[in-house]
Amino acid sequence: MRGRRMLRMATWGRELRARLWRPGVREEVEHELAFHLEMRTRQFLDQGMTPAAARDEALRRMGDVERVAGVCRSLADAREQTIRRAGILDEMRQDLRAALRQFTRDRAVALVAVLTLALGVGANATMFSIVDRFLLHPLAHVRDADRVVELADAWRVQGNDVVQRSFPYAAFRAFQERLSAAKSVAMMTNPIDVPLGRGADAQDVHGSLVSASFFPLLGVHPALGRFFAPDEDRLPEGTPVVVVSYGLWRPILGGGPSALGARLELGSRTYTVIGVTPKGFTGPTLGAVDVWIPVTAAGDLRFVNGPDWATSRTSTWLRVFARLEPGVSRERLAAEATAINLESGEPRMATMHTTIDALPLIASLRDMRGTSARVAVLLGALSVLVVLIACANLANLLIARALRRRREIAVRVALGISRGRLVRQLLVEAGVLALLGGCAALLVAWWGSSAARTLLFGDVQWTRGLVDWHVLLYTLGIALASGVLAGLAPALQFSRPHIADALKAGAREGGQYRSAIRTVLLVAQAALSVILLVGAGLFVLSLHAVSTLPIGMQPDRVLLATMDLLKTGWSAADADALFTRMAERVRALPGIQSAAVAVTVPGVATWGVDLTVPGRDSLPQPEGGGPFINAVQPGYFATMGTRILRGRDFTDADGAAGAPVVIVNQTLAHAAWPGEDPIGKCVRLGDASTPCVTVVGVAENSRRQNWIEEPIFLLHVPLAQAPAYMQQRLLVVRPRGSHPELAIAAVRSAMQTTAADLPFANVQPMMSLYDAELRPWRLGAAMLGAFGVLAGLLVAAGLYGVISFTTTQRTQEIGVRLALGARSSQVLELVMREGLALAAAGGIVGVIVALAGARFIEPLLFHVSPREVAVYGAALGVLGVVATIATLAPAWRAAHVDPATALRSE
């Protein structure tokens, strides 16, 4: 009996201890084993054993106590972790259900928050998809891209640095044979238009001429078949084989193994398909390439032809790449390449000090896009400001929500909820909003990426979809981070409420509550919006300045039509006659104002010429270079929109049998005959022994290659009197109306049906030649303008919400003012002054920050100061209008409140 009583007492003590004090797992296991050992020992004592014998027998009966203790601890730990995990998951489910119930009751707040995040994060994700392609992983399938360099010829002319990424074929061979610092050397041409097929099925594809070492140097492996063997790229004539891109293989060749051995008619030759590049491969450039052809087998597709194309060192037309040997620096390779170039090259002018630079491949890619790439990076950085504005707006929204829930939060705290649990609940609510906003932002990013890619770089090969997993993770990550960041402010601020104050009834006590965080956030939003508006204004002025440059032509009203007849085997005489017939057919089309044949146009190609002016020993060299020559049909100047300032245009009488005549541009006329009438003057296209050519007209200055360039010397001769080396022909067409692209289909059909089995007629707006050059300012103006409008809307929404909330909280105060005799106009002024003061503070901060960062944006502007006073004034004016509109509605409501109703409000 005594043993049973002691056992019951020990059991009651154990239960009491467990209820009053919660031990850890290890202590609980030790107490449990000690209890069992004590109970066993007492049983053996009751049987008459001595204490020592009873304890020994109890230990023997229990076995290995340490092992049992370890097993028990493991089981207890696992059970406790399971319980803890289940508890956490249960709490998260409760928090999630509570958040969804809150948003179901307050749908307007949830909708505004989701839209705010969708617009802000979506705009940022759009720019991320662009920057991701150009800067983060621009080279697909290139192995160890950091070991690949591009050679560039650099020299100084009249004190200016000139960098040229093109070499003659002879220079490439010299580098390939003698450059010991390079593991391998390869060459390629920039993508060119290659005629594929004839007749109705003809089309143009993008092609690049390469050396057999090109693919091995980059370390790329074929998706199907093989690449070029060294004996297929040999002088004097390589094997007519071709490697096609993955994008051409599937739609044109069926996408199967049977494509190997297929025959493709490219230009005037037929090539055998031997391999397919992997999906997304574009080589060391970002432009799309459909076919790769050995340079020695390219025939008429080469830029340079004739018997000396492989040995001439005066024609620079291909790019050279090298892979560094292990342990070799770029500086060492550049020094060795410079020595090889000087030893084997043609002597430079005395004013040039030529060296070879070894440019990192990725830096070269970024450089290649020039201003456009820098603008893309700038837009990507400024799009972060939109996210910050959205984040601040969301934080203000959540703070306003928390202010309305102060009493609810105080009740929950009074009932014993922990601060950590309360913070977690508020953050879960913000996280739910962020997740919904992130999903909506993906839709914005999908649409925005499509539009931005078209506007930014239409000629770039995009290796991923509009919203790939990079953009997906980035968008959701930014959305969640924005939500959590915005939710921290109310979570931390209201998780420790003054319970007594919060539980008091009436609006009077809560009405005096002011949130400094909300004020700071509003000022920050206004400042960021001013920065974006200033950037948009500067780019708009730059776009206007560059668009209104006097360029001596109207490319926005002209179509450019080309057909590579010479590359498809036509003789120069037959091609000339065919283009003349095409021009006649196009002129006969309804809606066509004029059309003319020319050798070239600005932006396509240039031809240099030696010029001698009788009576002048030399001519001053213009900044843009020259003299350059073009050959055109009568009507060319009217079609291009170039004015004849003096003299006359060419006529049909200026044929091959007529007297040689020429039209010069203003710069040449002023330099050759200053103060004299150039009409009737003589020039010689060559040295003093060449025949005299009579000047019959002076045309206004037009461009040679770029939209923005210095003055040049330019001459035009009749097409029938063109020098023999100018065999290429193209067609310029001027449709009626302001939308020339509407006539593209009709012009192409008229050209394509002029004769049987013609190659593809490429008809495009001439303005497309300059899109890449003008794109930085168009992009900056459009995207920053969109960012600015978005920022203005977010600021208006945030300011409206804050002023509405504060006026609601001050209803009793306003009622007292009105009851004591205040006029409605005074209340209106009081509320308006508060909103405009916040906007003014933000505007001042924004102007200061914009001025401080002006030096970063200055290189991207055109003839516009980054501190343009009018732009800053306009930005502040827009902010003022937005603030006035956002503040007026709540101010009007406050000014017309009923004093009796206001004084009774609780």
Side-chain angles (χ1 to χ4, degrees):
M1 293 295 294
R2 179 174 174 271
R4 290 194 185 98
R5 284 197 302 269
M6 294 184 65
L7 177 62
R8 283 197 297 270
M9 291 177 62
T11 304
W12 293 342
R14 174 172 170 270
E15 291 180 357
L16 182 62
R17 186 170 60 250
R19 291 181 182 275
L20 297 178
W21 174 57
R22 176 70 176 174
V25 173
R26 291 183 175 275
E27 293 178 347
E28 189 174 357
V29 169
E30 290 174 359
H31 289 156
E32 186 75 20
L33 290 175
F35 171 76
H36 284 285
L37 180 60
E38 183 179 358
M39 292 301 100
R40 283 292 183 93
T41 302
R42 291 183 182 278
Q43 288 178 357
F44 293 134
L45 287 172
D46 290 344
Q47 295 175 8
M49 291 185 181
T50 64
R55 183 172 181 79
D56 291 341
E57 183 62 20
L59 288 173
R60 187 184 68 80
R61 293 288 185 93
M62 290 184 65
D64 189 348
V65 177
E66 288 301 323
R67 185 183 66 81
V68 173
V71 172
C72 291
R73 282 194 293 267
S74 299
L75 292 174
D77 285 339
R79 181 173 179 273
E80 192 167 279
Q81 289 177 4
T82 302
I83 294 173
R84 188 184 303 114
R85 192 181 302 114
I88 293 174
L89 292 176
D90 187 58
E91 288 181 356
M92 290 180 63
R93 282 193 294 268
Q94 293 176 15
D95 294 342
L96 184 59
R97 284 196 297 267
L100 294 176
R101 283 197 300 268
Q102 288 285 347
F103 298 139
T104 302
R105 289 196 296 265
D106 202 351
R107 294 186 180 90
V109 172
L111 181 61
V112 171
V114 169
L115 289 178
T116 297
L117 277 178
L119 294 175
V121 176
N124 181 257
T126 295
M127 292 312 305
F128 172 79
S129 68
I130 304 297
V131 176
D132 177 57
R133 176 68 179 103
F134 283 93
L135 301 182
L136 301 184
H137 52 271
L139 299 174
H141 305 288
V142 176
R143 178 176 53 84
D144 298 332
D146 58 324
R147 302 296 299 168
V148 181
V149 297
E150 180 177 7
L151 302 186
D153 204 353
W155 65 90
R156 293 182 66 81
V157 179
Q158 299 178 356
N160 297 318
D161 293 326
V162 178
V163 177
Q164 176 177 284
R165 289 189 181 89
S166 60
F167 293 89
Y169 184 81
F172 155 69
R173 291 303 298 267
F175 294 140
Q176 190 177 43
E177 294 170 359
R178 300 172 53 189
L179 196 56
S180 62
K183 188 173 183 179
S184 59
V185 178
M187 57 127 298
M188 68 167 289
T189 63
N190 283 325
I192 60 173
D193 290 333
V194 177
L196 172 61
R198 302 286 181 87
D201 297 329
Q203 59 181 295
D204 262 4
V205 297
H206 298 295
S208 181
L209 314 182
V210 300
S211 61
S213 57
F214 175 76
F215 294 107
L217 180 140
L218 297 180
V220 63
H221 300 285
L224 182 69
R226 63 176 179 84
F227 292 142
F228 305 126
D231 61 349
E232 290 172 332
D233 175 31
R234 64 186 184 280
L235 293 172
E237 190 68 30
T239 305
V241 290
V242 63
V243 172
V244 299
S245 69
Y246 190 92
L248 186 71
W249 169 56
R250 296 185 68 84
I252 302 298
L253 300 174
S258 60
L260 299 179
R263 312 277 282 177
L264 291 181
E265 194 171 19
L266 302 170
S268 60
R269 305 186 70 180
T270 300
Y271 293 81
T272 302
V273 177
I274 63 169
V276 179
T277 59
K279 186 177 181 179
F281 175 75
T282 60
T285 68
L286 298 182
V289 179
D290 301 308
V291 294
W292 311 83
I293 302 170
V295 64
T296 55
D300 291 331
L301 298 177
R302 284 191 295 264
F303 295 109
V304 180
N305 280 296
D308 62 343
W309 74 268
T311 57
S312 171
R313 299 194 63 93
T314 59
S315 298
T316 57
W317 55 289
L318 54 85
R319 298 169 64 180
V320 178
F321 301 88
R323 178 173 287 277
L324 296 171
E325 286 279 10
V328 174
S329 66
R330 291 190 294 111
E331 290 75 16
R332 176 184 160 188
L333 184 141
E336 186 177 342
T338 299
I340 294 172
N341 194 53
L342 291 175
E343 291 173 7
S344 57
E346 295 291 334
R348 296 280 185 181
M349 293 186 299
T351 55
M352 295 183 182
H353 304 284
T354 183
T355 59
I356 301 295
D357 285 342
L359 306 176
L361 189 57
I362 296 179
S364 173
L365 279 170
R366 298 174 189 174
D367 236 12
M368 182 182 67
R369 297 296 175 179
T371 304
S372 293
R374 297 199 300 273
V375 170
V377 174
L378 174 68
L379 292 175
L382 292 180
S383 67
V384 176
L385 301 185
V386 182
V387 176
L388 294 178
I389 294 174
C391 189
N393 210 11
L394 180 61
N396 260 330
L397 195 65
L398 295 179
I399 290 174
R401 229 172 131 261
L403 282 170
R404 290 201 301 269
R405 297 171 59 192
R406 288 185 71 217
R407 189 178 302 173
E408 172 202 337
I409 293 173
V411 169
R412 299 178 71 184
V413 172
L415 292 176
I417 189 173
S418 67
R419 184 174 185 242
R421 178 70 187 278
L422 183 59
V423 170
R424 188 168 72 241
Q425 286 182 346
L426 294 176
L427 289 180
V428 166
E429 293 179 8
V432 171
L433 288 176
L435 186 60
L436 295 174
C439 293
L442 287 174
L443 297 177
V444 175
W446 184 87
W447 176 85
S449 295
S450 177
R453 289 182 181 188
T454 302
L455 292 173
L456 188 57
F457 294 116
D459 56 340
V460 170
Q461 177 88 8
W462 296 95
T463 57
R464 294 185 173 90
L466 291 175
V467 178
D468 58 12
W469 66 271
H470 287 92
V471 179
L472 175 65
L473 293 179
Y474 179 83
T475 303
L476 294 180
I478 290 294
L480 288 174
S482 300
V484 171
L485 185 62
L488 278 176
L492 296 177
Q493 187 170 2
F494 296 101
S495 60
R496 285 183 175 175
H498 298 287
I499 298 177
D501 293 339
L503 291 177
K504 290 179 181 178
R508 183 187 302 271
E509 290 79 1
Q512 302 306 316
Y513 187 83
R514 294 291 183 268
S515 175
I517 295 180
R518 301 194 73 195
T519 301
V520 171
L521 289 176
L522 264 180
V523 171
Q525 288 184 72
L528 294 176
S529 67
V530 166
I531 294 172
L532 292 173
L533 289 171
V534 167
L538 293 175
F539 271 97
V540 167
L541 288 183
S542 293
L543 178 61
H544 179 266
V546 75
S547 300
T548 55
L549 279 177
I551 62 173
M553 54 185 185
Q554 298 173 338
D556 58 324
R557 305 291 299 277
V558 178
L559 295 177
L560 174 64
T562 59
M563 183 180 287
D564 291 323
L565 295 175
L566 299 181
K567 292 180 181 178
T568 54
W570 284 66
S571 67
D574 291 342
D576 200 4
L578 181 63
F579 262 99
T580 300
R581 295 202 303 274
M582 287 179 181
E584 293 172 354
R585 288 171 60 91
V586 170
R587 290 190 201 102
L589 293 174
I592 299 300
Q593 181 174 334
S594 61
V597 181
V599 168
T600 187
V601 292
V604 172
T606 57
W607 296 86
V609 65
D610 292 329
L611 180 67
T612 302
V613 178
R616 296 292 302 271
D617 293 334
S618 62
L619 294 176
Q621 186 70 15
E623 296 181 19
F628 302 101
I629 188 173
N630 192 12
V632 300
Q633 269 187 344
Y636 167 85
F637 294 101
T639 301
M640 291 292 293
T642 302
R643 295 175 298 158
I644 301 295
L645 302 177
R646 295 183 62 81
R648 64 173 178 86
D649 193 357
F650 297 132
T651 66
D652 293 335
D654 298 319
V661 294
V662 66
I663 294 175
V664 299
N665 71 340
Q666 287 175 277
T667 301
L668 178 55
H670 292 160
W673 305 283
E676 301 180 37
D677 185 0
I679 304 302
K681 299 293 186 180
C682 168
V683 296
R684 302 183 188 276
L685 305 182
D687 57 23
S689 63
T690 56
C692 186
V693 181
T694 303
V695 177
V696 296
V698 176
E700 66 176 317
N701 288 333
S702 60
R703 293 302 188 252
R704 173 182 73 94
Q705 194 69 28
N706 301 314
W707 187 279
I708 303 170
E709 63 182 20
E710 300 297 334
I712 61 171
F713 287 165
L714 180 62
L715 309 92
H716 289 84
V717 298
L719 188 66
Q721 299 178 7
Y725 58 84
M726 301 178 71
Q727 298 181 355
Q728 189 66 44
R729 299 291 185 267
L730 51 78
L731 190 64
V732 289
V733 182
R734 188 182 186 89
R736 293 186 176 90
S738 57
H739 298 283
E741 63 275 4
L742 298 178
I744 288 178
V747 172
R748 178 179 290 122
S749 177
M751 295 177 64
Q752 203 84 53
T753 57
T754 304
D757 295 331
L758 291 177
F760 181 74
N762 185 10
V763 184
Q764 60 182 325
M766 188 175 173
M767 197 65 195
S768 63
L769 299 177
Y770 302 99
D771 281 345
E773 190 175 356
L774 300 179
R775 192 174 290 133
W777 299 287
R778 288 177 176 170
L779 274 175
M783 296 301 293
L784 281 176
F787 291 165
V789 170
L790 180 58
L793 292 175
L794 294 176
V795 169
L799 193 58
Y800 174 83
V802 168
I803 300 302
S804 294
F805 181 80
T806 55
T807 52
T808 300
Q809 294 285 56
R810 297 171 63 186
T811 300
Q812 285 189 336
E813 173 198 337
I814 293 172
V816 170
R817 288 175 181 269
L818 292 173
L820 293 176
R823 296 190 301 274
S824 295
S825 59
Q826 292 176 319
V827 175
L828 181 71
E829 179 185 355
L830 175 69
V831 178
M832 290 287 294
R833 187 166 60 243
E834 180 180 355
L836 294 178
L838 290 174
I844 293 172
V845 174
V847 167
I848 293 173
V849 174
L851 288 172
R855 61 189 180 91
F856 297 106
I857 198 174
E858 186 171 12
L860 305 177
L861 304 177
F862 182 78
H863 293 178
V864 173
S865 169
R867 298 173 179 84
E868 186 71 38
V869 175
V871 171
Y872 287 81
L876 291 175
V878 170
L879 179 62
V881 171
V882 169
T884 301
I885 295 173
T887 309
L888 186 59
W892 183 267
R893 286 198 304 269
H896 293 81
V897 71
D898 181 9
T901 303
L903 291 173
R904 288 197 304 268
S905 66
E906 289 293 332

